[in-house]
Amino acid sequence: LGNTHAAVSAFWSGMSSSVNAGHVHGPAAQGMNANPPIFDLMPPSGVAGSVVHRLWDMGANAAHLPNNLLYVNIHTATNPGGEIRAQLVPQCN
């Protein structure tokens, strides 16, 4: 998709309550936080779900992807700061 575009996918299940938000954040190393969000995943509500191949024009944030400095955070009512988190890693198919 080019050097500044990405297709972002996220899958989750077994959440403590319904998902109410999901974002990409960065730059931040694993275990560190970054705010505000830099891309809204607009996830469906529910305790399980997915966002598949949401197209993102990363712009200047593209430089952070090879260094694993971007992460996805899925938020619920029970855990509004984020219930699950995963660093984004580049993948080519």
Side-chain angles (χ1 to χ4, degrees), residues 25-41:
H25 296 262
Q30 188 171 349
M32 303 302 290
N33 294 324
N35 281 307
I38 55 177
F39 182 67
D40 187 354
L41 293 174

Side-chain angles (χ1 to χ4, degrees), residues 1-2 7 12 16 18 20 31 36 54 60 64 78 83 86:
L1 294 174
W12 59 90
S16 63
S18 190
N20 58 20
R54 180 113 156 72
H64 302 301
T78 305
E83 183 158 332

Side-chain angles (χ1 to χ4, degrees), residues 72-89:
V72 171
N73 200 1
I74 304 294
H75 307 263
T76 63
T78 305
N79 295 286
E83 183 158 332
I84 59 172
R85 170 191 170 139
Q87 295 296 121
L88 290 178
V89 294

Side-chain angles (χ1 to χ4, degrees), residues 14-82:
M15 305 299 272
S16 63
S17 59
S18 190
V19 168
N20 58 20
H23 310 101
V24 174
H25 296 262
Q30 188 171 349
M32 303 302 290
N33 294 324
N35 281 307
I38 55 177
F39 182 67
D40 187 354
L41 293 174
M42 297 184 287
S45 63
V47 295
S50 65
V51 174
V52 180
H53 300 303
R54 180 113 156 72
L55 185 60
W56 175 28
D57 181 354
M58 297 184 291
N61 290 301
H64 302 301
L65 185 60
N67 299 314
N68 300 326
L69 295 176
L70 302 174
Y71 66 94
V72 171
N73 200 1
I74 304 294
H75 307 263
T76 63
T78 305
N79 295 286

